[in-house]
Amino acid sequence: MQPFRLPEFYIAHPARLNPHVDQTREHSLAWAYETGILGPDPTGPEVWDEADYDAHDYALLTAYTHPEAPGPVLDLVNDWYVWVFYFDDHFLERYKRPRDIAGAREYLARLPAFMPVDLGAGPGPESTNPVERGLADLWERTVPLMSREWRERFAVSTHNLLQESLWELENITDDRVPNPIDYIHMRRKVGGAPWSADLVEVAIGSEVPPAVAGTRPLRVLKDTFADAVHLRNDIFSYQRETESEGEVNNGVLVMERFFGTDPQRAADITGDLLTSRMQQFENTVFTELPPLFEEFGLDPSERLDVLRYARGLQDWQSGGHEWHLRSSRYMNEGAVTGSPLTPSGLPDLAGLLGIGTSAVRLRSLTRPPGPAPDAAFELPELAASHEPLLNPRLPALRRHASAWASRTGLVGGGPSGVWTPEAFAAADYPLFAALTHPAASGPELELVNDWNLWVFAFDDLFVERFKRPRDLLGAKAYVGRLRAFLAGRGATPSDPVERALADLWERTATAMPDGVRGDFAAGIGQFLEGALWELAGLAQNRVPDPVDYIEMRRDTSGTALTTSLVRYALGAGVPAEVLASKQARALHEAFGDIVGLRNDLLSYRKEIEDEGELNNAVVAVQRFLDTDSRRGAEIVADLVRARTRQFDRVAEIELPALADGHGLDAAGRAALTRHVEGLRRWLAGDLRWSSTTGRYRRTEPAAEPAAVRVDPSRVPTPRLTIGPTGLGTSAARPRPPRATTGGSRT
């Protein structure tokens, strides 16, 4: 008996079947025997027999997802799909069921050698099993057809797909169901849809131009495609994975556990998220591709390549749905082809892509009806894992900040200043720096403080000058001027924000080490682009898709900028390869989510009532789940807690293993410990400042919040110590008082 009724699926494009399907079935069966995917396997029991293989009908999947591919290309792409499904089931039988993590690591470590990017690299290692044999054959047949840029992208996608299988295995071993955001991110890598998106370029016979392949619009197309493919698969495969395989990495199960609901409601939520991701895909095509074409000056053939790629992704969505309805691999009893949500086509760009419109699409893209304020809103309890510490240099920093803000014009008595002296004093921005960097020395603390001042000033100016009048063109031109200052070619500053930036960048170029400065400049760029993204949504009167919002919130809250300032204030020392690792990225992403989502809770009233803002996690959740602000706030707070647990898991389990794997010496481990503790101290200090100062409060704050002053030369022993044998912990700390006020950090 099925555990739930399949939800209605949003299908924006009719599926089409490639006429070469029968030929591909015949070819693929022979190839499966040649590689050992079918037939006796000396390395262990057969994973599939021919009856299983025929029932799955992978050729039907390929023919539906690539309806226009020529016969030989369809054969090649289908062999890739046979291989990846076989890999998934082979990994399940050999490593997931017996919980053999060590064997899985050894098995996966061999596979990249079968994917050389250079064509003349020579023969790879001898294959020892059907997975290796199939991969070697497919790589040799595919790479001559594509550019080096594509080969590099595809190698990364394939590597991610293979390696992140360990993440699934570790979750099963720990019986750990991930939270929704962690799940969405990791599912993209292990689920194979980004990898399939690369194969779309093979099937259509053209590539995405390298100049735009890494831009946000193309990244969003790929990510939304992947999320929709994976969530659809999770709905159809829930019964098999949870009842037969002991799987915990399933979107329906994630929603079931996170929201504390039954399988039917969880499936409906998953279906709604699937629809939202597909609609985000459409919105990106309509609103972000045309300006991208102009910005990069793509010629007509390059523009057509991008549009053909988008249509290929859409074909995959519709075709994959049809295959799920027919394959014996999945739960599809009682399902019917087609959907009541299938819309009619639109002309021009929409006609080329086959994208339609419907009431459900328009409803999800517009602002909730009725007044924005919601009397049911209550701020949930927020807590940090540390008591905040206060840098003893605060009095001197206040004097410096006042002088610098006056000199640059950030504070002034007339309309030329960003803040009045009264507003500047009430916000007490130096306190923010002193709380978030309690051990920084004088020069470092001053530079950190001034960058924080600039971020807050930019945000306030951007709201008044561009967000309120919805001036997207003016905002883009202004951001371009600011970027010029970072490149050392800025014009004469025309306002206090430009003047402050010019001064800051000159000081930063000499103060920060090269590696930190480069990351910092990239972080500023992400922050500026995030502001433009928010404004674009406001111009459309569009409530963000929740996944897109949370991912972009890391940019709009300045996550990369903040983590670079933490590195600068604490001193370099963490090896570059460690900072570039997936564990460090996961730590920083969790940190950014905590910062941004927590601020959305604190700033809900101010942003929604005073600023008319739509870019707030509570609003996104309210709209997505059709609930009130109280429940929306509770869900966002739950997500903050989930991301805090993820931060702790990475810090306490994954980073020590990483340190061991890289053989970090005592100095490297100490630097990594300082970095983690610096992020924790930042979170504690930010919460205290956000909860007590006049930037957000509508009543006068206390003169100064209670906080422990610390001598920077005698910083208390950190809670985490990354040593050769793992992490040590000190005594538990008392929780800070409940936050009782709101406001926006950026």
Side-chain angles (χ1 to χ4, degrees), residues 207-260:
E207 298 182 22
V208 172
V212 299
T215 60
R216 171 189 149 80
L218 271 296
R219 187 175 68 249
V220 171
L221 290 184
K222 194 172 190 177
D223 287 348
T224 52
F225 163 80
D227 295 345
V229 168
H230 295 151
L231 293 170
R232 177 181 291 104
N233 179 264
D234 285 349
I235 292 170
F236 279 103
S237 63
Y238 174 89
Q239 186 171 23
R240 176 173 63 87
E241 291 183 345
T242 59
E243 295 180 5
S244 302
E245 300 177 4
E247 185 64 83
V248 297
N249 301 290
N250 180 283
V252 178
L253 183 61
V254 167
M255 301 302 174
E256 188 178 336
R257 298 277 184 90
F258 186 79
F259 290 107

Side-chain angles (χ1 to χ4, degrees), residues 82-131:
V82 170
W83 175 83
V84 79
F85 278 105
Y86 179 80
F87 164 80
D88 190 53
D89 288 353
H90 182 267
F91 193 82
L92 169 69
E93 296 298 332
R94 299 291 197 273
Y95 303 105
K96 277 188 179 179
R97 290 196 194 279
R99 308 294 195 260
D100 182 7
I101 293 179
R105 291 184 186 278
E106 181 179 355
Y107 164 74
L108 294 173
R110 285 178 49 85
L111 296 181
F114 296 93
M115 301 183 292
V117 172
D118 294 319
L119 295 178
E126 183 177 354
S127 58
T128 61
N129 58 59
V131 170

